[in-house]
Amino acid sequence: MRVLVIGGGGREHALCLALSRDPSVEALFCAPGNPGIAQLAELRPLTDAVEVAKEVGAELVVVGPEAPLVAGVADQLRDAGFAVFGPSAAAAELEGSKAFAKQVMGAAGVPTAAHHTCTTPAEVEAALDATGPPYVVKHDELAAGKGVVVTGDRALAARHATGHTVVIEDYLDGPEVSLFLITDGITILPLIPAQDFKRVNDDDEGPNTGGMGAYAPLPWAPPGLVAEVVEKVARPTIEEMAKRGTPFSGLLYAGLALTSKGVRVVEFNVRFGDPETQAVLALLATPLAGLLYAAATGTLDAHPPLQWRDGASVTVVVCAAGYPESPRTGDEIAGLDEAGGADVLHAGTALADGRLVTSGGRVLAVTAVAADLKAARELAYDAVAQIKIEGSHYRSDIALRASQQT
Ligand code: GLY
């Protein structure tokens, strides 16, 4: 199969790594890719996705990021006759609009936080009165990881809402879980749950980020969690989307909180999560291209059950100086050859005069697999210690607590 991946971050590097290990993939392309992906796939500039897909003769196109999905790239590719892994623009509204996602969840009876959609300062004030602290304020539209504020500071919460339509909702306590569900609009195949670390500093301190690390599996997750989420969250959502005439196919990412009152949806995304994908795909033994192709072509019901490697995986994200407020770019990246024992996935890297340099906030996602979380942490952090980027930083507690429970 000739496969084209759209995107150029750590998630797409993880996708390309898994696809490159699938014997059915005879040619792998990525647009625009990055210097790490270039070691696995032929890169193409991302001008027009349909033109690139035609040029490379793609038999499957996998769209990584949410922005092109919300903008309708999957529709354009499907209209041009390509098999596409990724939802239509209408279905991608599950991530593109928080208010839309809440409407769908309401109609489908999916458990989520009580919420208020607000467009005026008066509505914002009333909603903040109603929920009380901690305040959870989400921009309705896509915001590249910067749209959500969780704070006890009411003035900050109100400021975050200024100039935006926002969803203000009750705070959900309890640990968070990311569960990815592959679907063709009818059949649903869950992957294994993972956990992401959103705050920039150890012990969940500091501002929110796109994700500082992840691990899988979750030794502390209740045994019935995945089946419960399929039945109470994914199936009703997929059925509701079909009923509306906007069937969802691709990857439904359920961001969940395991609260004292049960599982609640924190958010939906419509693509693989980053950096959870790096940790989850590292354990997937089932060939990825066949799985994504089955979802893209409506044949998931005939797909064999997913197979997983034994053991555990840990991903540690190495960030540029200044991340998340104002990441510095152009710093040289050294030590990658010494970082053995782990996959060093590129997220924000570029080549400048033949040197590998930082080009984004999250620079590398270092991913290790071992017999258990403790051993996977050791491998990942040993590799991270070899990497030299001036001013870079990373969390030292990824999967720490979970590794102490096994
Ligand atoms: N790790 C969070 C996200 O992918 O949105």
Side-chain angles (χ1 to χ4, degrees), residues 196 198 210 253 269 271 273-276:
D196 181 19
K198 294 236 169 61
Y253 165 149
N269 295 315
R271 38 75 194 174
D274 191 341
E276 299 97 309

Side-chain angles (χ1 to χ4, degrees), residues 11 66 95 145 178 180 196-198 209-214 253 267 269 271-277 362:
R11 163 186 45 219
E66 61 277 17
E95 179 167 358
S178 303
F180 301 162
D196 181 19
F197 291 72
K198 294 236 169 61
T209 69
M212 296 295 292
Y253 165 149
E267 63 175 1
N269 295 315
R271 38 75 194 174
F272 281 96
D274 191 341
E276 299 97 309
T277 300
R362 293 189 293 173

Side-chain angles (χ1 to χ4, degrees), residues 238-256:
I238 298 301
E239 285 175 1
E240 175 65 23
M241 293 301 284
K243 204 162 89 187
R244 290 170 180 239
T246 53
F248 184 98
S249 91
L251 187 134
L252 181 66
Y253 165 149
L256 306 161

